[in-house]
Amino acid sequence: SAVIATSRVTIIGEIPRLFLLHKHKKIDWKLALFLTIPYAIGSIFAGFVIVLLPLDVTEFFLGILLFIVAGFYLVKKNAGIIEKKAIFNFKIRNTIGVLGTTIISAIGTITGGMGPMYTALYIWIYGKSYIKAASVSHVASFFGGLIGAIIFIASGLVNWKICIALTLGLAVGSYFGTVYGLKKGENYVKYIIIAITIITGIKLIWF
């Protein structure tokens, strides 16, 4: 629980990434802030579960889900390269978006590594490009994750020496990683996301 709590409080290291994405007009703020609410709900739920009732999460199942997501990225070759019209009406896509974000947030707060699932969800239901879908998830995870972080801080589980070091590392990495990703474009981001998805799936299943 201490490891999970410490890693979640490092969310402040995402600020440089959000600044760059906003500067390059890659963030749909209206959608991102709307999805912050279900993200926060999932994060809060998982936060209380970890603090009050430590669970042995079935990582094999989550790994399989990530391989399914990787399959989606590989089969839908043009998805996420350019923005497309949403395939569902307003009510349906937002219902799926809220439920999907809440579930992925709850799982991700406990296990980590669920970023590619957010991206796949937002490409599918909102027609976003890879970078814009990832931007929505970064904003929602940042503001929603702050609430979960407060719960972890209040619980006293955070190792602050490690937390500060990780936060600084995340800030530097997120800045330069975002600069490079924006420079390379959607195709580059697509293959990075596929690689991360597969690696995370392997880690959850076999390690």
Side-chain angles (χ1 to χ4, degrees):
S1 295
V3 174
I4 295 172
T6 300
S7 66
R8 295 302 174 264
V9 175
T10 62
I11 190 74
I12 195 171
E14 286 284 320
I15 291 177
R17 187 200 311 274
L18 299 184
F19 170 76
L20 286 172
L21 292 173
H22 172 69
K23 181 179 179 181
H24 290 270
K25 302 184 186 305
K26 296 296 183 180
I27 300 176
D28 182 340
W29 282 101
K30 184 177 180 179
L31 176 61
L33 293 176
F34 168 71
L35 292 173
T36 293
I37 299 171
Y39 189 100
I41 292 172
S43 180
I44 291 170
F45 173 77
F48 280 117
V49 167
I50 294 170
V51 172
L52 301 177
L53 184 63
L55 298 177
D56 182 14
V57 180
T58 308
E59 294 186 335
F60 177 83
F61 173 71
L62 299 177
I64 294 298
L65 285 180
L66 284 172
F67 279 119
I68 292 174
V69 170
F72 166 80
Y73 288 137
L74 291 170
V75 172
K76 299 287 185 178
K77 294 183 178 181
N78 294 323
I81 302 301
I82 58 173
E83 285 196 87
K84 297 181 178 180
K85 184 178 180 181
I87 60 175
F88 301 109
N89 65 40
F90 180 82
K91 186 175 182 179
I92 292 176
R93 66 174 178 265
N94 281 332
T95 299
I96 297 174
V98 167
L99 292 175
T101 300
T102 303
I103 293 169
I104 296 171
S105 173
I107 296 171
T109 299
I110 298 172
T111 67
M114 295 293 107
M117 295 187 71
Y118 290 111
T119 305
L121 178 66
Y122 303 150
I123 289 174
W124 174 47
I125 62 174
Y126 293 112
K128 297 294 183 183
S129 67
Y130 277 96
I131 292 177
K132 289 192 174 182
S135 298
V136 168
S137 70
H138 285 311
V139 173
S141 67
F142 177 77
F143 288 107
L146 282 178
I147 299 174
I150 291 171
I151 294 174
F152 289 128
I153 291 171
S155 73
L157 293 173
V158 179
N159 183 321
W160 286 106
K161 289 184 178 179
I162 294 176
C163 182
I164 292 171
L166 290 176
T167 299
L168 292 174
L170 176 59
V172 173
S174 69
Y175 178 84
F176 288 105
T178 302
V179 168
Y180 193 72
L182 289 170
K183 181 179 179 180
K184 287 293 185 178
E186 303 291 349
N187 274 304
Y188 169 81
V189 174
K190 171 184 177 179
Y191 289 112
I192 290 296
I193 290 176
I194 290 173
I196 292 173
T197 305
I198 293 173
I199 291 170
T200 305
I202 292 172
K203 174 183 177 295
L204 288 173
I205 293 175
W206 285 289
F207 296 96

